[in-house]
């Protein structure tokens, strides 16, 4: 099980610790570092900055939002950064949800998310392969575009730049069972948002079809501390925001995922409180047990014991949301 450092996206502004954390992760032998985006900082610019200040560590987006760019624009950014970094790029993609796609990007959320995702990945593969001009008779991403408002002048094109790697890894952030099953078929890896090492049976049948080399790389909050309850507070804050605020009360993929973990009533209560403006209560309503099973929090000895559970499952890469240098170093020692 390889280690990765997940830096997420910015809050009010850039985190001055991110570069130091990435460089220390590289020194410690971490395999990868990952950036993200929501509706603030983008994923690719900070990753390019990290690429310029490191030499070996792999660089990934976990995740870049599909609604933010056309698939060819995303492919352009990935192949450009792959060249600049000497072949270190990994492209993690996510569809996001209706609230973000329509509210932030001003685009309709696809009626068939599976089809939209499949077409997006297919276009990117064609760009990276560069075997012929991009052509796709797609519902969401047709190339060339031939809709009712088209000029009819669209011409199939292939990239001017020769991609450094046709097999640049493409990973998908997927939460629903059908989406995960499609990810196994069309992608090089899966980026689970939550992962519980005690519930691997939820994905056993789906992952049984994964080909050799398929990455399973969950993002996990890791924190070395003496007080477990105190260490779980940032985990619960994250869960409260995602489950309560990242979606509509009638359609929230994160709440649905928590429900599949056996916490359906608790998930709906968190939503109810968050949407009523009672955010502090929503965070408190996140069960400690749920926050604990999807994270690695506590004294060094406790993390060492729990880490063995993570090793036993199908995980290939543990992407640690680790907020400090001490945690990074302890995790490297325990995983070494």
């Amino acid at each position: 099980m390889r280690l990765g450092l997940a830096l997420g996206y910015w809050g009010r502004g850039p985190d001055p610790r991110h570069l130091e954390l990435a460089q220390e992760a590289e020194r410690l032998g971490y395999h990868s570092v990952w950036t993200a985006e929501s509706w603030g900082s983008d994923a690719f610019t900070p990753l390019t900055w990290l690429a310029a200040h490191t030499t070996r560590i792999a660089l990934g987006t976990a995740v870049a939002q599909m609604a933010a760019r056309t698939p060819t624009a995303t492919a352009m950014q990935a192949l450009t950064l792959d060249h600049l970094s000497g072949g270190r790029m990994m492209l993690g993609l996510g569809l996001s949800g209706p609230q973000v796609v329509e509210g932030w990007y001003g685009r309709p959320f696809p009626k068939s998310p599976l089809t939209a995702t499949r077409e997006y990945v297919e276009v990117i593969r064609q760009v990276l392969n560069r075997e012929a001009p991009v052509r796709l008779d797609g519902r969401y991403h047709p190339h060339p575009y031939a809709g009712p408002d088209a000029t009819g002048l669209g011409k199939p094109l292939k990239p001017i730049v020769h991609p450094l790697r046709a097999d640049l890894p493409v990973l998908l952030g997927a939460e629903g069972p059908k989406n995960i099953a499609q990810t196994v078929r069309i992608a090089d890896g899966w980026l689970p948002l939550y992962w519980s090492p005690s519930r691997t049976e939820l994905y056993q049948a789906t992952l049984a079809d994964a080909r050799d080399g398929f990455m399973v790389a969950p993002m996990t909050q890791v924190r070395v501390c003496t007080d477990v309850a105190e260490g779980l507070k940032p985990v619960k804050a994250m869960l409260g925001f995602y489950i309560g605020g990242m979606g509509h009360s009638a359609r929230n993929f994160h709440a649905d995922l928590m429900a599949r973990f056996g916490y359906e009533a608790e998930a709906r209560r968190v939503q109810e409180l968050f949407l009523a403006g009672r955010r502090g209560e929503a965070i408190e309503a996140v069960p400690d047990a749920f926050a604990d099973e999807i994270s690695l929090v506590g004294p060094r000895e406790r993390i060492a014991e729990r880490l063995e559970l993570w090793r036993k499952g199908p995980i290939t890469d543990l992407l640690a949301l680790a907020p400090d240098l001490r945690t990074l170093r302890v995790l490297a020692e325990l995983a070494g």
Side-chain angles (χ1 to χ4, degrees):
M1 186 179 71
R2 301 180 300 193
L3 293 180
L5 169 64
L7 296 174
Y9 44 78
W10 297 353
R12 290 174 178 262
D15 190 324
R17 302 172 301 169
H18 280 183
L19 180 56
E20 182 183 19
L21 287 169
Q23 290 175 327
E24 180 66 2
E26 180 173 71
R27 188 190 71 79
L28 291 168
Y30 278 60
H31 171 258
S32 55
V33 59
W34 303 74
T35 56
E37 60 190 10
S38 54
W39 49 90
S41 59
D42 77 285
F44 288 99
T45 307
L47 199 61
T48 304
W49 181 255
L50 296 176
H53 290 82
T54 55
T55 58
R56 300 181 309 279
I57 196 165
L59 309 156
T61 54
V63 294
Q65 295 173 321
M66 293 184 227
R69 306 161 192 87
T70 65
T72 46
T74 298
M76 288 166 63
Q77 288 191 278
L79 71 85
T80 301
L81 185 47
D82 202 41
H83 269 290
L84 292 175
S85 66
R88 292 189 279 152
M89 179 67 196
M90 295 184 288
L91 180 60
L93 301 169
L95 192 60
S96 194
Q99 187 181 51
V100 176
V101 173
E102 297 182 358
W104 179 247
Y105 293 114
R107 302 180 59 184
F109 188 78
K111 295 187 184 303
S112 177
L114 291 175
T115 301
T117 299
R118 186 169 59 252
E119 291 182 6
Y120 201 100
V121 172
E122 170 60 22
V123 171
I124 288 174
R125 298 284 198 200
Q126 289 192 38
V127 172
L128 294 176
N129 285 331
R130 202 180 179 273
E131 293 176 349
V134 177
R135 291 182 182 273
L136 183 68
D137 183 17
R139 175 179 176 184
Y140 296 102
H141 302 291
H143 283 71
Y145 178 71
D149 55 346
T151 63
L153 302 177
K155 177 183 178 181
L157 300 169
K158 63 181 179 180
I160 298 169
V161 175
H162 290 235
L164 185 63
R165 294 180 296 161
D167 60 350
L168 186 155
V170 177
L171 300 90
L172 293 173
E175 296 180 32
K178 292 181 180 179
N179 203 349
I180 296 169
Q182 175 172 269
T183 296
V184 170
R185 292 194 302 271
I186 70 172
D188 302 303
W190 174 37
L191 296 161
L193 181 60
Y194 313 139
W195 181 270
S196 170
S198 61
R199 300 178 192 270
T200 56
E201 72 280 358
L202 291 174
Y203 311 111
Q204 188 172 3
T206 303
L207 293 176
D209 296 328
R211 61 187 177 278
D212 290 344
F214 186 84
M215 292 175 62
V216 179
M219 287 170 281
T220 307
Q221 291 212 37
V222 184
R223 186 167 286 100
V224 178
C225 59
T226 55
D227 188 330
V228 174
E230 189 69 22
L232 287 175
K233 285 183 178 179
V235 185
K236 294 179 64 170
M238 177 274 291
L239 288 169
F241 176 63
Y242 272 72
I243 294 162
M246 292 282 269
H248 190 270
S249 59
R251 193 168 189 183
N252 184 311
F253 303 132
H254 309 297
D256 293 343
L257 179 59
M258 182 176 171
R260 286 197 294 277
F261 273 51
Y263 298 93
E264 183 172 4
E266 294 88 341
R268 304 312 167 198
R269 181 58 177 163
V270 171
Q271 274 191 299
E272 177 185 315
L273 291 168
F274 197 97
L275 294 173
R278 297 156 64 182
R279 297 191 176 191
E281 293 178 63
I283 291 170
E284 285 299 315
V286 175
D288 281 10
F290 178 53
D292 194 30
E293 71 175 273
I294 66 168
S295 62
L296 285 164
V297 171
R300 177 192 174 102
E301 297 74 18
R302 185 175 193 265
I303 291 178
E305 180 181 349
R306 292 169 61 82
L307 190 62
E308 291 308 307
L309 293 175
W310 294 72
R311 291 181 189 271
K312 292 178 182 178
I315 295 173
T316 61
D317 297 76
L318 175 66
L319 310 187
L321 288 155
D324 59 85
L325 292 171
R326 179 189 174 208
T327 294
L328 269 188
R329 291 164 183 161
V330 168
L331 187 59
E333 292 167 5
L334 294 177

